Amino acid sequence: MMNKRKAIAMVLAFAMTANVTAVNVFAEEEAADGYYFEWAGEQWGLSSEEIEKVKEMDLSFAIETPTESEFGYGQMRGFEDACKALGIKVAGEASCELDPATQQANMENFISMGVDGIVCQPQDADTAASRFDSVVDAGIKLAFTGSKPKDYEAGKQYVTMVTDEFAEEGVLAADYLAESIGGEGEILAITISSVNEVSNTRDGAFVDAVKEKYPDIELVEEGGIESASDAGSVASGLLARYPEADGMFVTFSTPALEVLDIVKSLGMKDFKIVTIDLDTVCCLDMINEGNIAGIVCDSAYYYAAAAVVGLAKDFLGQDVPDELSGPGKQVTVDNMREMWQWSFGTDVPESLDEALKAVGK
């Protein structure tokens, strides 16, 4: 599947706005007169008549996800479903693995395809403009997820930015870890050390929440990683220095898998791990009462779907909010099926379905 995604990105070649109040995007509702998302009484979408106008434009969009992961595939699924609903051609799909250089190559590839719009998350916001200026110059409309290039303005260089309440997710992770260790003890954290607004915000909020809300918990050391593959070695070093630590926060689920392997290899059965973003292996460990004590998730699916709608609205000449924001949520064994559907736009995979049934869920 991963190779197929890369192949699509490399070989497929088919194919501003007023400042208004931000809209929260949550769940899709089947509507008789079009395609909509609903959140807190707000509707975000297009009517059937508007969709027909979009179809007449014969638009083609591309998407780049931050990682090749279940989160990334959730974004692709939301992107594909929204494009299909609106009659927009999916011209290319790629991931950048949080690497600015890979993102540069992907943007150049999308420009060569002649796409009309791109959905993606900028890497290293301080320098990201150097990778997107050529996209803007080519007249391609941009909808960002999670962050935007420094000095870029909505309605000028890009259409809209779809985000979560990232700080809230960090706080939810802190609450989860505190609960799992009984409100006291020593903990560790693995955070992103490079400039990544999404992870940096969540990580920082986690650290601040522990210090402000939990006086009986000491964050004894924070280890930084540049990429997910660094997490195993960083975790090994932290655990060697603090073998009596009670738990660890890991910035997102892909590096959490590396940490989980290390913790299990050390036989640390009571050590608790909390992370952000759903992942099959993390969920299975959580169901089986392993080391994963908690997961906080957002909706990868609706991130991308909302961005597609925003781009389509802009092509129709409509006002588009500078920002579309949705909530983060704590995942439990009891609500895992619901959260998986909300986050990825699909049912839990067979392995999770069987595991949940085995515990009566």
Side-chain angles (χ1 to χ4, degrees), residues 7 16 19 22 24 26 57 73 83 92 110 112 174 217 221 344 352:
M16 272 248 183
N19 294 329
N24 286 317
F26 178 53
M57 296 181 188
Y73 295 140
C83 284
F110 290 158
S112 71
I217 296 177
E221 189 170 343
F344 296 147
L352 286 187

Side-chain angles (χ1 to χ4, degrees), residues 184-203:
E184 61 181 9
E186 295 184 344
I187 62 171
L188 303 160
I190 290 182
T191 59
I192 293 290
S193 56
S194 56
V195 179
N196 181 301
E197 185 173 345
V198 175
S199 292
N200 296 157
T201 302
R202 300 191 306 198
D203 296 347

Side-chain angles (χ1 to χ4, degrees), residues 172-243:
L172 289 173
D175 293 342
Y176 228 154
L177 187 53
E179 179 183 356
S180 73
I181 65 172
E184 61 181 9
E186 295 184 344
I187 62 171
L188 303 160
I190 290 182
T191 59
I192 293 290
S193 56
S194 56
V195 179
N196 181 301
E197 185 173 345
V198 175
S199 292
N200 296 157
T201 302
R202 300 191 306 198
D203 296 347
F206 169 84
V207 172
D208 290 344
V210 169
K211 293 177 179 178
E212 294 170 6
K213 298 178 67 175
Y214 301 103
D216 295 326
I217 296 177
E218 182 183 3
L219 176 56
V220 291
E221 189 170 343
E222 182 180 342
I225 60 173
E226 292 285 338
S227 65
S229 60
D230 300 333
S233 59
V234 172
S236 293
L238 291 172
L239 293 171
R241 290 190 291 279
Y242 303 100

Side-chain angles (χ1 to χ4, degrees), residues 61-66 75 79 83 92-94 103 107 110 115-122 132 140-145 160 162 300 303-311:
F61 290 176
I63 184 172
E64 180 198 72
T65 64
Q75 282 196 327
F79 175 83
C83 284
E93 296 176 324
Q103 183 163 76
M107 293 305 109
F110 290 158
V115 302
D116 299 297
I118 297 173
V119 175
C120 66
Q121 180 190 105
F132 288 99
I140 298 170
K141 294 185 185 294
L142 288 161
F144 294 124
T145 62
T160 190
V162 185
Y303 250 45
V308 169
V309 171
L311 289 174

Side-chain angles (χ1 to χ4, degrees), residues 71-95:
F71 180 87
Y73 295 140
Q75 282 196 327
M76 287 183 179
R77 192 177 295 112
F79 175 83
E80 291 166 359
D81 287 353
C83 284
K84 181 179 180 181
L86 303 183
I88 297 167
K89 188 179 299 181
V90 175
E93 296 176 324
S95 65

